[in-house]
Amino acid sequence: MYEVEKGYFSVGLEGDPALAAAISGELARQRDGIELIASENLVSRRVLAAQGSVLTNKTVEGLPYRRYYGGADYADAIEALAVERACRLFGCRFANVQPHSGSNANAGVFLGLLKLGDTILSMDVAAGGHISHGHPATLTGRDYRIVRYGVSRRTERLDLDEIASLAREHRPKMIVAGGSAYPRAIDFEALRRIADEVGALLMVDMAHFAGLVATGLHPHPFPHAHVVTTTTYKSLRGARGGLVLWNDESLSDRINHGIFPGVQGSVMMHVVAGKAASLGEALEPGFGAYNQAVVENARSLAEGLAGRGLRLVSGGTDCGLMLVDLTPKGTDGGTVAKALEAAGLAVNKNQIPFDPKPPEAPSGLRLSSNAGTARGFGKAEFETIAGWIAAVVEAPGETAGLARIATEVREMCAGFPIYRD
Ligand SMILES: *Cc1c(COP(=O)(O)O)cnc(C)c1O
């Protein structure tokens, strides 16, 4: 167990040593290791303060200024601030900032805009899609008829002809774009043309590239998408949860009712306060520079890996995220992810498109530059990280080598401290 941290993170936890020690341990893990998991990032003290605030005590239901319970003046002001900032950041007219998670944002939109049994055309998880887009293990997979599109075997990118022909054949009520392991920019305009041809709504889930959209570094889903969803804690570097964004006022009641009471109860007001704080930060000029660095660092990591003989799915990345194919190396993502963890590098195993291996031991690794960039790593650090990853892929079983890298990782992290000031 770790020593309990003295200072900011232990204030108020003195009476609960077991919990304080575990939180200190997690803080040390984040400080001393390199986070490359694409669904993670590091938030600011401001976001931590807002999310850890007394707003957790306040129960509200419904929308700002139209609550069921009284005493909601400050809660209304906070949620209205989050909504206004979300709309300003993404250049849209309406936002719902209540979804407890990205999955809830998606489920709420489906519930509000679709009828039971309607057809949804979404990306196959095996090709890089997200489970909340209708995977059979989820309620969305049970309540709707799901048709899946994948990627082209040759380019490993979306095949717009395939999507168009599936749309013509199955006449979906909604087409969903975006995934959790798709490293390339998406042509929203082309998808909207397909949606219009068959009378479908287009929903874009931009969880992994929302920060880039906000700062003009990725094609914008608006005006093409009817509705956009995102998580707030990946590329947006914010409090944990989801958002829904749209422009057409005639969709407002259905979307808002889909979230509450459709899939959620009362609002997590402390998290909405955290979202307001992080959306405020995303509107500051520094967020553009951060996202520019995310893209440059991802490129540096991708080139460093490719230069050492590792194959990237689709040959590279247009966002912060990339997928390494380990099949040519005769190993799998589970083995390498475990070895990398021992070396102080957190990544996740991931299926690659047309993966010959099972999901439990898939052929790929998913990496992202989000969190490393947030702590200040630049191109040189990501080039070094590429070297470490390539070395571990070659010899995942060599414990002495892993220990040597772990020491170097700690040294690099010490030069880029987090939550110290
Ligand atoms: C991460 C992610 C989600 C789900 O987020 P949760 O907060 O875990 O529910 C939804 N969609 C996409 C594309 C994601 O990457």
Side-chain angles (χ1 to χ4, degrees):
M1 257 318 192
Y2 284 92
E3 288 281 292
V4 173
E5 164 88 6
K6 295 281 175 284
Y8 186 88
F9 287 89
S10 59
V11 172
L13 287 169
E14 296 83 355
D16 191 341
L19 181 60
I23 292 176
S24 289
E26 174 60 18
L27 175 61
R29 188 192 71 81
Q30 293 182 16
R31 279 179 175 159
D32 299 341
I34 295 179
E35 187 56 70
L36 297 163
I37 295 177
S39 49
E40 301 198 9
N41 212 324
L42 304 167
V43 302
S44 69
R45 279 278 166 77
R46 208 194 285 175
V47 175
L48 290 176
Q51 194 164 350
S53 70
V54 293
L55 267 303
T56 196
N57 296 334
K58 182 64 198 141
T59 301
V60 295
E61 285 177 345
L63 295 170
Y65 312 111
R66 288 188 270 160
R67 307 291 193 185
Y68 191 74
Y69 301 115
D73 292 357
Y74 298 106
D76 286 350
I78 291 165
E79 187 171 341
L81 197 58
V83 167
E84 185 273 319
R85 288 176 177 177
C87 290
R88 191 144 45 96
L89 186 63
F90 292 107
C92 61
R93 291 181 65 205
F94 304 104
N96 186 306
V97 299
Q98 295 183 0
H100 302 338
S101 69
S103 299
N104 279 20
N106 293 337
V109 168
F110 294 166
L111 188 70
L113 298 183
L114 300 173
K115 288 202 291 294
L116 204 62
D118 275 355
T119 299
I120 297 173
L121 178 58
S122 66
M123 192 177 196
D124 196 345
V125 169
H130 191 264
I131 46 171
S132 64
H133 300 168
H135 189 279
T138 69
L139 275 177
T140 58
R142 206 196 289 183
D143 290 348
Y144 309 100
R145 181 173 161 264
I146 308 296
V147 178
R148 296 182 181 80
Y149 62 85
V151 292
S152 145
R153 202 177 263 277
R154 188 176 57 81
T155 62
E156 296 173 310
R157 298 182 189 222
L158 294 182
D159 180 344
L160 292 167
D161 293 336
E162 185 210 4
I163 296 171
S165 72
L166 285 169
R168 286 179 199 124
E169 183 186 344
H170 295 281
R171 315 294 297 184
K173 288 284 190 293
M174 183 179 278
I175 298 177
V176 178
S180 65
Y182 186 69
R184 292 302 185 172
I186 300 170
D187 185 346
F188 303 121
E189 198 175 348
L191 290 173
R192 173 61 184 261
R193 271 198 302 274
I194 297 170
D196 282 347
E197 187 191 322
V198 300
L201 293 169
L202 175 63
M203 181 184 112
V204 173
D205 179 347
M206 61 176 180
H208 278 286
F209 50 86
L212 304 181
V213 167
T215 49
L217 295 164
H218 186 285
H220 208 299
F222 290 129
H224 313 297
H226 296 92
V227 57
V228 174
T229 59
T230 183
T231 55
T232 42
Y233 56 87
K234 295 171 186 168
S235 61
L236 264 186
R237 214 172 83 187
R240 178 162 297 272
L243 294 179
V244 187
L245 309 161
W246 67 100
N247 277 316
D248 178 353
E249 192 165 11
S250 74
L251 301 179
S252 295
D253 284 350
R254 285 152 72 199
I255 291 172
N256 288 326
H257 289 148
I259 300 297
F260 170 84
V263 297
Q264 294 186 174
S266 60
V267 184
M268 293 210 212
M269 267 323 303
H270 59 307
V271 180
V272 169
K275 287 175 188 171
S278 39
L279 290 163
E281 289 175 343
L283 284 160
E284 290 171 7
F287 196 60
Y290 164 70
N291 279 284
Q292 186 69 47
V294 164
V295 173
E296 285 167 13
N297 289 341
R299 214 166 285 148
S300 169
L301 178 58
E303 282 166 11
L305 295 168
R308 290 172 177 83
L310 288 168
R311 194 185 87 80
L312 295 177
V313 169
S314 82
T317 174
D318 296 327
C319 49
L321 176 154
M322 69 203 73
L323 210 52
V324 183
D325 174 11
L326 296 167
T327 33
K329 296 288 177 188
T331 181
D332 68 83
T335 306
V336 174
K338 226 177 186 169
L340 283 169
E341 191 177 347
L345 297 145
V347 307
N348 67 279
K349 62 183 177 189
N350 214 99
Q351 281 197 293
I352 59 168
F354 310 102
D355 203 322
K357 297 207 171 89
E360 311 80 62
S363 300
L365 283 183
R366 190 180 66 154
L367 308 170
S368 153
S369 58
N370 284 339
T373 305
R375 76 186 294 162
F377 289 173
K379 283 189 271 192
E381 284 73 31
F382 276 96
E383 161 61 25
T384 305
I385 292 168
W388 288 330
I389 293 172
V392 172
V393 167
E394 293 302 334
E398 268 186 35
T399 44
L402 302 182
R404 183 181 46 74
I405 293 172
T407 307
E408 291 172 18
V409 164
R410 268 195 301 278
E411 278 165 19
M412 183 187 281
C413 289
F416 296 85
I418 55 171
Y419 304 122
R420 289 277 182 207
D421 49 325

